[in-house]
Amino acid sequence: MINLVVALPAEARPLIAHYRLTDKTTRGGFRIYRNAGMSLIISGPGKIAAAAATALLGGCNSDAEQAAWLNIGIAGHATHATGQNLLAHRVSDHATGKSWYPPQLFDLATTTTSLLTVDTPENCYHRDLAYDMEASGYYAVATRFSSAELVQCFKVVSDNREHSTAAITAESCAQLITRALDEIDPLLGALSALSREHDSWHAAPAGLEQLTRRWHFTVSQQHQLAELARRWKVLVPDQPLWLDTLDTRKKAAEALQCIQQHLDSLAPGLLQATHEPGV
Amino acid sequence: MFSIIYIERQIADHPRTHEICARFPNATRVECDRYGEVFNPNAQNFRLQKRNPSLILAEKHKGRVLQAPEGYGLGGRNNYYFSHMLNCLYDCRYCFLQGMYRSAHYVLYVNYEDFENDMGTILAQADNEPCWFFSGYDCDSLAMEPVSAFVQHFLPFFSRHPQAHIELRTKSTQIRGLLKMTPIPNAVIAFSFTPEEMYRALEHKVPTLERRLQAMLQLQQAGWQLGLRFDPLIYQHGYQGQYRRLFQQLFSQLNNEQLHSVSLGTFRLPRGYFRNIVQLYPDEPLFAGAFSTENGMVSYPQALEQEMTAFCTRELLQHIPESLLFRCTLAA
């Protein structure tokens, strides 16, 4: 699952069209657009709105194991030309001084920058970095739902020392995002692949539901079952989680013991791996 | 190698910072107040970050040289460990670093001189008694030598202080720097090994057994004292034949009379670290076996642990005298 957090309708329109986010709902006053693998929420301007929208989207999509998150929007920059695409390697909040450092794992063409979230539109550009009004609110909340590697901020420069914020229109904003799609696409592709891979590590083995339907497991027993399921998936990968001897077990504790005994009896064989020798 | 280098503001102008950054002219430099802002946040995934870790240059303010845990040593009474760097170039699946740290970024402390001062203080307080300083706890001692120049800087200190002994524990073949130096009798270059089958399955990005052995032979020929470290011992079906073959391969080529020490250690991790690692690698066969938890430490069941230690000890004593063999017995 990919979650997009976008401040303005003008920023969202090109993304909604490009990714065919045709399913539209309204939750808590926020408009959300979806397709099967992506959700986009329009937060409105400001970091508090961005934080609220991010929290709402995270809550709506809480089934997604580790969703990828991307905040997309326009930003000012002291020196970069308008239309320059930027990925934030540092997100700072001007009011609190707090900073976050989104890990940069991908080999992408997009230039990275420090991004400062301010409370009012920036017109002086004192420091050589990007200025926006949402990223810190979004980032602080999104990283409560997903690991930082899957949470990124993508900005397109809309204003600088030569071109003031006064010149920004809905039309120019939409055009900037449209032109940035050729760099947004590979970023989303990389994030999505990473998110899917992460989810695959934690997929439950087949047959687990059969067990949970048959016996009532206490919370503690559920943890034990999860651990046994993990081991099962590694040691008996081609078989669903079931043993014939479980048929006669009346209680969850007996079922757990039966599975554990079976797994403990399987001596770890040759460890299999794809190996990459070093230098 | 690094697309991003994070730099603590207070050491932005440190000479070592400049030297290291000059090696990576295309890396983006990102300043931070303290390295913990980048390294410590909880919402990070070690396994994901290991794909492309960044470098963090920082200053170590305190706790630079620490007393080694009881049971860890090579016969000396005064044992210390220090880490000029956090995280390792290699990616061994049994390594505790995965469970201890949230971030896989490399942290390199540039204030080597402060580490030396602390060692000097310890030596002065030890009143000429030998002191051992173990390197390679939070990182590989040699793997990042071209970047860190760690050995290049620290060995002269040990050359000037013969009562200070250093162990450089490594799986690396970055020995060029050592081969250019005059060997000192108070330095032990200690190479870690597991059998070939386990190396292939678990020790990602580590040089091959054969290349490490060749590095050892070059060092031995140059006059350096060497150690062999079989730590942790890893269990799998057929381990006995695998370890036997490993020992034969190593001892048939090394000059055993020039070996300083051989040590054995069992696989054990603090429970919290083990839980973190299993969460990162739920699909790892190493962690699918039966483990036992006692006093907050996860290890193989005691009977298995004793069997493995006894077997490997017997096998090793066919190659080396008992005086060279040390068993690492870390308490919880």
Side-chain angles (χ1 to χ4, degrees), chain A residues 89-90 99 101-105 112 143 146-149 194 197-198 201-202 227 230-231 234-235 264 267-271 273-279, chain B residues 4 6 28 30-32 37-38 43-45 47-49 51-52 199-203 205-207 211 236-237 242 278-279 282-283 285 287-290:
Chain A
H89 58 232
R90 179 174 62 203
S99 291
Y101 298 84
Q104 300 300 308
L105 300 187
T112 65
T143 49
S146 291
S147 189
E149 299 77 20
L194 200 63
E197 189 180 338
H198 180 279
W201 302 337
H202 296 280
E227 173 58 11
R230 178 190 70 76
R231 291 178 62 199
V234 175
L235 292 173
D264 287 351
L270 283 174
L271 301 168
T274 52
H275 182 261
E276 187 193 316
V279 294
Chain B
I4 296 202
Y6 301 97
T28 302
V30 181
E31 284 198 349
C32 59
E37 293 173 53
V38 185
Q44 297 186 89
N45 187 293
R47 182 175 180 176
L48 291 177
Q49 263 187 38
R51 289 161 183 247
N52 191 12
Y199 153 75
R200 286 187 180 282
L202 301 172
E203 295 176 353
K205 301 181 186 170
V206 173
R211 291 196 51 229
Q236 66 167 357
H237 182 65
Q242 290 159 12
V278 166
Q279 181 69 10
D283 45 351
F287 304 129

Side-chain angles (χ1 to χ4, degrees), chain A residues 46-196:
Chain A
K47 66 188 184 192
I48 294 177
T54 304
L56 181 74
L57 196 58
C60 286
N61 292 343
S62 58
D63 289 344
E65 173 88 37
Q66 281 265 327
W69 291 81
L70 190 61
N71 166 228
I72 301 174
I74 56 172
H77 198 283
T79 53
H80 280 304
T82 56
Q84 173 70 51
N85 298 322
L86 299 167
L87 199 49
H89 58 232
R90 179 174 62 203
V91 175
S92 302
D93 183 79
H94 182 254
T96 63
K98 189 164 165 49
S99 291
W100 299 261
Y101 298 84
Q104 300 300 308
L105 300 187
F106 312 122
D107 185 17
L108 296 168
T110 309
T111 302
T112 65
T113 186
S114 290
L115 177 62
L116 182 66
T117 299
V118 292
D119 293 329
T120 54
E122 178 63 38
N123 290 310
C124 295
Y125 314 99
H126 289 298
R127 295 164 62 188
D128 188 17
L129 40 69
Y131 294 81
D132 89 323
M133 294 177 66
E134 286 81 35
S136 66
Y138 147 83
Y139 198 85
V141 176
T143 49
R144 286 173 177 268
F145 292 97
S146 291
S147 189
E149 299 77 20
L150 293 167
V151 181
Q152 301 289 330
C153 295
F154 184 98
K155 300 289 174 178
V156 187
V157 178
S158 56
D159 51 287
N160 52 30
R161 287 178 181 143
E162 276 78 51
H163 301 89
S164 81
T165 53
I168 300 173
T169 63
E171 187 58 37
S172 65
C173 183
Q175 276 178 5
L176 286 170
I177 300 298
T178 301
R179 285 188 210 124
L181 285 169
D182 63 349
E183 287 188 33
I184 293 172
D185 270 344
L187 173 58
L188 284 177
L191 282 169
S192 178
L194 200 63
S195 169
R196 278 197 309 273

Side-chain angles (χ1 to χ4, degrees), chain B residues 5-20:
Chain B
I5 300 178
Y6 301 97
I7 303 170
E8 277 189 347
R9 266 187 203 95
Q10 61 208 12
I11 50 97
D13 282 322
H14 193 288
R16 204 160 280 120
T17 301
H18 288 302
E19 276 167 31
I20 292 168

Side-chain angles (χ1 to χ4, degrees), chain A residues 226-276:
Chain A
E227 173 58 11
L228 292 172
R230 178 190 70 76
R231 291 178 62 199
W232 185 282
K233 207 173 147 197
V234 175
L235 292 173
V236 202
D238 300 326
Q239 293 174 31
L241 178 46
W242 186 258
L243 295 164
D244 290 340
T245 44
L246 286 171
D247 264 326
T248 56
R249 299 298 185 260
K250 292 188 166 51
K251 296 181 185 172
E254 292 167 10
L256 290 173
Q257 192 180 34
C258 186
I259 297 169
Q260 170 136 11
Q261 279 170 355
H262 178 71
L263 290 173
D264 287 351
S265 72
L266 299 173
L270 283 174
L271 301 168
Q272 303 288 330
T274 52
H275 182 261
E276 187 193 316

